[in-house]
Amino acid sequence: MTSRIGCRELRVSARGRELLRVPELDVAAGEVLAVLGPNGAGKSTLLRALGHLGHLHRTGDVLLDGRVAGPRELRAAIAAVLQRPILRRGTVAGNAAAGLRLRGVGRAEARRRSAPWLDALGIGHLAERRASTLSGGEAQRVAIARALAVAPRVLLLDEPFAGLDATTRADLLADLRTVLDGLDTATVLVTHDRHEAMALAGRTALLVAGRIRQLGPTAHVLDHPVDLDCARLVGFTNVLPPAVTGRPRLAAARPEHCVVGGDGDGLRIPGTVRRVVPLGAATRVDVDTEAGTLACRSVDANGLGPGAPVTVSVPEAALRPIPTNGAFVAT
């Protein structure tokens, strides 16, 4: 893989505490890498360190096309979209052209070059609207169009779907996937949502406590976690000990695969209902078992209430073995 953006022995610290340590990371031209992690894991810190954004105490090297790059080179090559888009006063078209204007492009040319990106993101019809009147999803689309208009070699996306309702998020995910598919840009997407990683990224890195624990093809990383922290991060939140599974080591399963009242082959774990939580089309049932409290779904929640005896069914195919050494794994 020819790296467009990368790092070697990158470390970030604050007040004597190391926040981030990434010995090696590479993202190729045309690739989308998702960095998935919980709040406080260091995801945004990694983006800022790669882009020399803000004031960080960092050591190590950031590479651009395989060569060590300084702040000036990186800022010329990189465009970033942050969680909360910052729009200037004026029109949507003016905001989309702002990045080009800052690079010395004339007003008319900047608007000409940015207009196709507004169209690609479905907001070309809003070009003359005042930016202050936009919804959150519309504002985020403008911010992405502004970043893409400068033809960046590297695009950094920091939780670009945060705060959006489900429909707006799904629409933006689909449009962004279409836009990124045709680019030669190396994209790093920071997210805490595995579904966003699956929708956009060819590879995913799991970042826990400032360290990359697992890195590989997205589908594999999301379905085969290498330790307990990674398992919980990608949705395998029900942890089952060997005494319950009969397997030689810990196993984990996602709540959607643990069914109260289900039947068929697999594990059958007795327990009592702790609580029932209706979630629209589905019902979550928390069940106290010898493996601890399991989050489950219910086939039929009628008559279920706290203290009710139930059986939780877990298909064998839904179980994932969990190694316990916590070492970094590239898959």
Side-chain angles (χ1 to χ4, degrees):
M1 178 179 70
T2 302
S3 175
R4 169 62 57 82
I5 185 76
C7 65
R8 298 292 183 271
E9 293 300 337
L10 183 64
R11 301 187 185 194
V12 178
S13 59
R15 299 175 183 175
R17 183 169 70 93
E18 189 172 77
L19 305 178
L20 178 76
R21 181 182 179 187
V22 181
E24 182 176 354
L25 185 65
D26 292 290
V27 187
E31 179 186 18
V32 179
L33 172 75
V35 179
L36 186 68
N39 291 335
K43 304 185 302 295
S44 295
T45 299
L46 174 59
L47 277 198
R48 291 168 60 206
L50 288 174
H52 275 268
L53 305 173
H55 300 287
L56 296 175
H57 183 265
R58 64 171 72 79
T59 59
D61 294 323
V62 176
L63 310 179
L64 189 64
D65 294 325
R67 297 186 298 274
V68 176
R72 180 175 296 181
E73 296 167 276
L74 291 168
R75 287 168 186 159
I78 290 174
V81 178
L82 305 179
Q83 291 185 36
R84 297 176 180 83
I86 300 173
L87 301 185
R88 299 180 172 193
R89 294 179 180 177
T91 65
V92 166
N95 272 276
L100 288 165
R101 295 284 290 141
L102 289 172
R103 285 164 168 77
V105 178
R107 184 184 304 275
E109 177 64 10
R111 292 208 172 199
R112 185 190 69 78
R113 286 161 57 177
S114 58
W117 294 108
L118 292 175
D119 292 335
L121 288 159
I123 50 173
H125 63 290
L126 302 179
E128 299 309 318
R129 181 182 289 187
R130 306 300 295 179
S132 59
T133 68
L134 297 179
S135 68
E138 291 166 344
Q140 194 64 284
R141 287 171 183 265
V142 174
I144 295 170
R146 179 174 57 199
L148 292 171
V150 303
R153 295 161 70 192
V154 178
L155 179 64
L156 305 179
L157 301 174
D158 190 359
E159 301 270 13
F161 310 101
L164 302 182
D165 64 74
T167 300
T168 301
R169 173 175 168 268
D171 288 344
L172 181 53
L173 266 170
D175 289 342
L176 186 57
R177 172 62 185 265
T178 300
V179 167
L180 294 178
D181 274 349
L183 297 182
D184 190 42
T185 304
T187 302
V188 183
L189 166 71
V190 155
T191 180
H192 64 273
D193 190 304
R194 71 179 189 270
H195 301 293
E196 294 174 6
M198 179 60 77
L200 293 174
R203 287 192 306 148
T204 291
L206 301 184
L207 188 69
V208 179
R211 305 289 191 274
I212 292 178
R213 293 278 186 86
Q214 188 174 357
L215 172 64
T218 296
H220 184 86
V221 167
L222 298 186
D223 202 42
H224 298 280
V226 297
D227 63 28
L228 196 52
D229 289 330
C230 291
R232 288 172 171 149
L233 182 55
V234 299
F236 289 93
T237 53
N238 289 329
V239 180
L240 305 172
V244 171
T245 65
R247 296 186 172 199
R249 55 186 178 183
L250 287 177
R254 289 188 168 122
E256 57 265 34
H257 297 141
C258 299
V259 181
V260 172
D263 52 19
D265 296 333
L267 291 179
R268 296 183 63 80
I269 307 169
T272 57
V273 173
R274 174 183 287 266
R275 62 177 180 172
V276 179
V277 185
L279 298 173
T283 299
R284 168 173 163 159
V285 183
D286 290 347
V287 180
D288 290 332
T289 74
E290 63 176 311
T293 301
L294 303 180
C296 311
R297 66 181 177 90
S298 176
V299 173
D300 182 4
N302 290 332
L304 288 182
V310 294
T311 299
V312 177
S313 298
V314 188
E316 287 286 343
L319 294 172
R320 295 294 179 271
I322 305 299
T324 57
N325 59 15
F328 166 73
V329 176
T331 56

